[in-house]
Amino acid sequence: MELQHEFTVPVPVGEAWPALLDIERVAPCLPGAAVEEYDGKTVTGSVKVKVGPVTVTYRGTAVFEEQDEAAHRMVLVASGRETRGQGTARATVTAELTGRDCGTAVSVRTDLTVTGRPAQFGRGVLAEVGDRLVSQFADCLAQRLTEPAPATEERPGEEATAAATAGPAEPEPLDLLHAAGLPVAKRAAALAAALAALTVVVLRLRRRDRSRHGRRRR
């Protein structure tokens, strides 16, 4: 499926371009994402997705196939596989930056293919989730681009060593039901209720069948 989004950030193109290429800086703005390694072209990491009570973790890589600084155009190809399952996800993301007033407009086209449990939502819901996530990402990125750089504080040797050993905090999984909004959550709840009702009916039928067999044996 193909998804199209656009957002703006309140800084000139010259500042927005290197910021979007700074993976470690923008990764915290992506729900569920964790970067393990980045060499300037290839990103290795994981994304956690929550579907109701089930959490799915994708591990994989993302490669910058194009970084045209003159045209302010980048192409990122990402692919991942469930760590516990057969589901896969693949996306080709093309972003183009254009100066607008005192800011930058970012146009993003995503060619997405998903298999496994998250695919059950279909194109409409995934598009709605994409809209909400892009909006959250844009707000987070705008805040990071406009806030002053944090001052570095000297720590005692033991505290610095403990912080380095602990590593980055584990990201919260991306909750698809929450991101999709109340209507989808209601549909999911209705489906769960229907399945529960069906399960009760099947159990009752089995009990009746067992009871009948018991009477016949007597």
Side-chain angles (χ1 to χ4, degrees):
M1 70 185 71
E2 186 172 298
L3 306 174
Q4 187 78 34
H5 300 96
E6 183 173 311
F7 62 91
T8 60
V9 288
V11 295
V13 176
E15 294 182 30
W17 173 259
L20 286 174
L21 294 177
D22 188 348
I23 298 300
E24 286 88 351
R25 186 179 185 184
V26 302
C29 290
L30 296 169
V35 175
E36 298 172 4
E37 187 177 353
Y38 178 50
D39 61 8
K41 183 178 180 181
T42 302
V43 185
T44 302
S46 63
V47 176
K48 287 186 177 182
V49 179
K50 185 178 180 182
V51 184
V54 180
T55 298
V56 180
T57 301
Y58 293 91
R59 294 196 74 259
T61 59
V63 181
F64 280 102
E65 291 197 341
E66 182 181 337
Q67 294 183 18
D68 189 339
E69 185 174 0
H72 296 126
R73 182 178 187 271
M74 66 182 76
V75 179
L76 181 72
V77 177
S79 60
R81 179 177 294 275
E82 288 184 34
T83 57
R84 298 180 180 179
Q86 301 300 317
T88 61
R90 180 178 174 81
T92 299
V93 183
T94 303
E96 297 181 348
L97 282 63
T98 307
R100 179 176 296 176
D101 298 330
C102 297
T104 300
V106 184
S107 176
V108 183
R109 186 178 73 253
T110 305
D111 187 0
L112 176 66
T113 303
V114 181
T115 65
R117 281 164 284 191
Q120 66 182 289
F121 288 102
R123 186 188 187 287
V125 174
L126 289 179
E128 183 178 350
V129 170
D131 291 341
R132 290 174 179 266
L133 293 182
V134 168
S135 177
Q136 293 176 19
F137 173 78
D139 292 342
C140 176
L141 181 61
Q143 182 178 354
R144 285 178 174 268
L145 290 177
T146 54
E147 67 185 7
T152 56
E153 297 181 0
E154 294 294 332
R155 295 184 180 182
E158 294 183 0
E159 291 185 12
T161 303
T165 305
E170 189 73 12
E172 288 294 323
L174 165 59
D175 192 331
L176 285 185
L177 289 181
H178 178 74
L182 186 59
V184 175
K186 285 183 176 180
R187 290 201 297 270
L191 176 60
L195 291 175
L198 179 61
T199 301
V200 171
V201 171
V202 171
L203 289 175
R204 286 180 178 176
L205 289 176
R206 286 182 178 177
R207 287 172 183 171
R208 290 179 183 177
D209 187 56
R210 289 175 183 173
S211 178
R212 290 175 182 174
H213 281 296
R215 292 175 182 174
R216 289 176 183 175
R217 288 176 184 175
R218 291 176 186 173

